[in-house]
Amino acid sequence: MTVDPDRNGKQVGFIMIPHSPHDDAWGVTRIPIAVIKNGEGPTVILEGGNHGDEYEGPITICDLIRELDPGQVQGRLILMPANNVHAVIAGQRTSPVDGLNFNRTFPGDPRGTITQQISAFITDHLYPIADAFIDLHSGGSSLDIIPSAIVEPTTDPGLHRRNLAAVQAFDAPMTVVISNLGEPRTATAAACLAGLVTVGTEMGGGGTVSLEALEVCRRGVRNVLAHHGVLPLDEIEPRRQDGQVLELPGTSAYVFATADGIFEPLHSNGTRVSEGQPAGRIHFTWDPTRPPETLHYAADGILYGRRQPGRVRPGNCCLVVAAPYQGSLS
Ligand code: CA
């Protein structure tokens, strides 16, 4: 690592992991990292580029690296805009080097492939020196999601309360508890296991940069940093949202494609929908004799996300419904 996390001031450099592909025998993979430190206070890690086709978070983190002076910070920021760097350069969800989804590799493996080595470095060397984690995702190329701040479930009630408070400080248009169906291999699940106060996001998606989501992201990140005391409290803007918490109600949240065809959604994001209601149709435009197949919602709630590409195959996630959170809010 070319930055010293214990040094006061602003440093911008790289984590360098030896990487020896066909065309570069003694090369390195360089993961950008900035440290802005000023005296005593909490350490917050900001992650972008966990998936390489999600852009609002990385832009926000690079803005902070350029804009913040150490004198504005109390404590330490570890700013990482492009953690899955090969995927970021390729503009892809998964790494073109080893094909892995970085967010399914935690806690990583220092003897594994390059993606597993990156997650191992973060788990082993950065989580232990941090107090809080902000993981900035968007929907990626395949999903368009209502800009939202995400609560990672944890079995530790004290951490759950602190996570909820930090996520609500983000003040996104929606606050959603997402377990990824209990998936333990994500960056946020690993951060919670390490005891870090954890905030996730889903900022738009569709493989584009959303003007609206970028504004939400810039403002929300500063709100959370002020909530943690790393930026001055007067950075927190007046709340815009009512603080309602939603969740993805297990597998019933998802409408999956049942056939190979073209998916037609019947509603826009934000629409109130109910279980059993027609959600969309799969068309077979190459065979007009075959009638479209109708898909139905499996839960009551709000349409939270929808697939971007029209072309679907069985199992593709077409729609996502968020419902009122049933868990503890205190
Ligand atoms: Ca993502």
Side-chain angles (χ1 to χ4, degrees):
M1 189 156 59
T2 65
V3 296
D4 174 0
D6 295 325
R7 199 199 302 163
N8 279 318
K10 172 153 70 175
Q11 307 163 72
V12 184
F14 297 96
I15 297 161
M16 312 248 254
I17 299 179
H19 184 211
S20 181
H22 168 73
D23 61 353
D24 189 11
W26 290 358
V28 290
T29 284
R30 305 195 312 169
I31 299 113
I33 182 169
V35 176
I36 305 177
K37 181 175 185 297
N38 182 32
E40 298 304 308
T43 293
V44 183
I45 300 173
L46 290 97
E47 169 174 87
N50 175 315
H51 293 130
D53 58 348
E54 305 177 1
Y55 305 115
E56 289 83 359
I59 291 173
T60 298
I61 294 173
C62 286
D63 286 348
L64 289 174
I65 293 172
R66 289 192 311 275
E67 290 168 7
L68 285 178
D69 293 319
Q72 297 167 273
V73 169
Q74 189 62 49
R76 178 168 56 184
L77 294 177
I78 298 176
L79 300 134
M80 309 182 74
N83 274 351
N84 188 359
V85 68
H86 294 293
V88 169
I89 291 166
Q92 292 180 9
R93 179 174 182 80
T94 51
S95 173
V97 175
D98 54 23
L100 290 182
N101 176 347
F102 179 68
N103 215 28
R104 300 292 182 273
T105 64
F106 281 79
D109 178 357
R111 292 168 181 250
T113 66
I114 195 72
T115 303
Q116 294 169 315
Q117 290 180 59
I118 298 169
S119 44
F121 185 91
I122 291 168
T123 307
D124 297 342
H125 299 283
L126 298 181
Y127 284 172
I129 63 169
D131 303 290
F133 182 57
I134 306 175
D135 189 17
L136 297 170
H137 286 253
S138 303
S141 310
S142 76
L143 285 174
D144 180 29
I145 300 179
I146 295 176
S148 43
I150 309 303
V151 181
E152 171 72 37
T154 164
T155 53
D156 176 339
L159 183 60
H160 178 65
R161 276 194 298 275
R162 284 179 284 144
N163 287 348
L164 265 176
V167 172
Q168 288 184 309
F170 196 101
D171 197 29
M174 283 174 78
T175 295
V176 188
V177 180
I178 299 183
S179 73
N180 293 297
L181 300 176
E183 177 57 68
R185 299 170 296 168
T186 64
T188 49
C192 285
L193 274 179
L196 307 189
V197 178
T198 296
V199 172
T201 70
E202 292 294 351
M203 291 289 132
T208 189
V209 179
S210 153
L211 205 62
E212 177 206 359
L214 190 54
E215 196 266 334
V216 168
C217 192
R218 285 180 165 138
R219 183 175 163 276
V221 166
R222 283 186 177 261
N223 283 344
V224 175
L225 294 179
H227 170 83
H228 287 315
V230 181
L231 291 182
L233 268 177
D234 58 18
E235 288 266 346
I236 297 186
E237 292 182 25
R239 286 273 171 100
R240 295 181 187 176
Q241 309 300 331
D242 60 6
Q244 193 202 357
V245 181
L246 302 165
E247 68 178 342
L248 302 190
T251 51
S252 69
Y254 304 91
V255 176
F256 297 111
T258 52
D260 199 324
I262 313 293
F263 178 67
E264 171 204 6
L266 295 181
H267 307 101
S268 306
N269 278 352
T271 305
R272 193 164 287 281
V273 300
S274 51
E275 183 183 350
Q277 181 184 355
R281 302 193 295 174
I282 297 177
H283 295 269
F284 312 101
T285 52
W286 46 85
D287 181 4
T289 66
R290 190 174 168 192
E293 204 165 288
T294 301
L295 305 181
H296 298 84
Y297 296 110
D300 297 336
I302 292 165
L303 185 56
Y304 173 56
R306 47 166 283 203
R307 181 176 168 84
Q308 278 295 292
R311 189 76 176 82
V312 294
R313 294 196 168 75
N316 284 158
C317 176
C318 296
L319 300 164
V320 187
V321 173
Y325 179 51
Q326 301 298 317
S328 172
L329 287 171
S330 60

